[in-house]
Amino acid sequence: MVIIMGLNVGVYVKGNALILRLKGDLDDLSVKDLRTRISRYIDDYKIKHLVINVEGLDFMDSSGIGFIIGRFHQLKRVGGDVAICNVHQKIEKIINLSGLNKICMIRENESATLLAMGGY
């Protein structure tokens, strides 16, 4: 678990999938460092699937939305995708209003997400 400016981030690699478990606030302060670290993981581990578990996420602003869109574009270049799981009501509203639900797979939990991405 890595702590980045009020955001706890669990980072796990499973095959060519990267799982992020977020707890806290995904905002301007946390996104700057997170963007660099996750982009490096994607490149170094040849990641094709990014799973973002938002169960512990309390808040997400436009910087957080931009972070997810940026990883979507990064993975799209290599034929990959982004999924968001364990979405609770507060975060669901942000995901729907921002349109993230149109570019990201939304799933109930990590197991269902990994299965939908190829059965990890």
Side-chain angles (χ1 to χ4, degrees):
M1 177 94 42
V2 177
I3 300 173
I4 303 171
M5 302 298 274
L7 179 70
N8 293 328
V9 184
V11 181
Y12 309 91
V13 176
K14 191 168 188 178
N16 64 354
L18 180 65
I19 301 167
L20 299 182
R21 293 182 186 144
L22 305 179
K23 184 175 184 180
D25 296 340
L26 186 59
D27 58 16
D28 186 51
L29 292 175
S30 59
V31 163
K32 290 176 185 173
D33 189 32
L34 184 64
R35 181 183 305 118
T36 303
R37 288 177 188 235
I38 299 310
S39 290
R40 191 173 307 131
Y41 266 98
I42 290 170
D43 291 340
D44 291 351
Y45 291 93
K46 310 231 181 305
I47 298 299
K48 285 207 150 200
H49 308 289
L50 177 61
V51 178
I52 304 172
N53 184 330
V54 297
E55 183 175 23
L57 198 62
D58 297 321
F59 174 77
M60 179 168 59
D61 68 6
S62 60
S63 298
I65 294 164
F67 164 76
I68 295 172
I69 292 170
R71 290 337 90 219
F72 167 79
H73 287 295
Q74 182 180 6
L75 287 167
K76 186 177 177 187
R77 287 192 292 269
V78 296
D81 52 12
V82 177
I84 304 171
C85 68
N86 290 349
V87 178
H88 53 82
Q89 191 174 8
K90 188 185 332 180
I91 298 302
E92 180 179 29
K93 187 181 237 181
I94 295 167
I95 288 170
N96 292 336
L97 287 172
S98 68
L100 286 176
N101 58 324
K102 293 181 171 86
I103 63 169
C104 298
M105 213 184 313
I106 308 297
R107 292 289 187 260
E108 184 180 333
N109 55 46
E110 284 181 23
S111 299
T113 306
L114 292 170
L115 187 62
M117 291 180 147
Y120 297 91

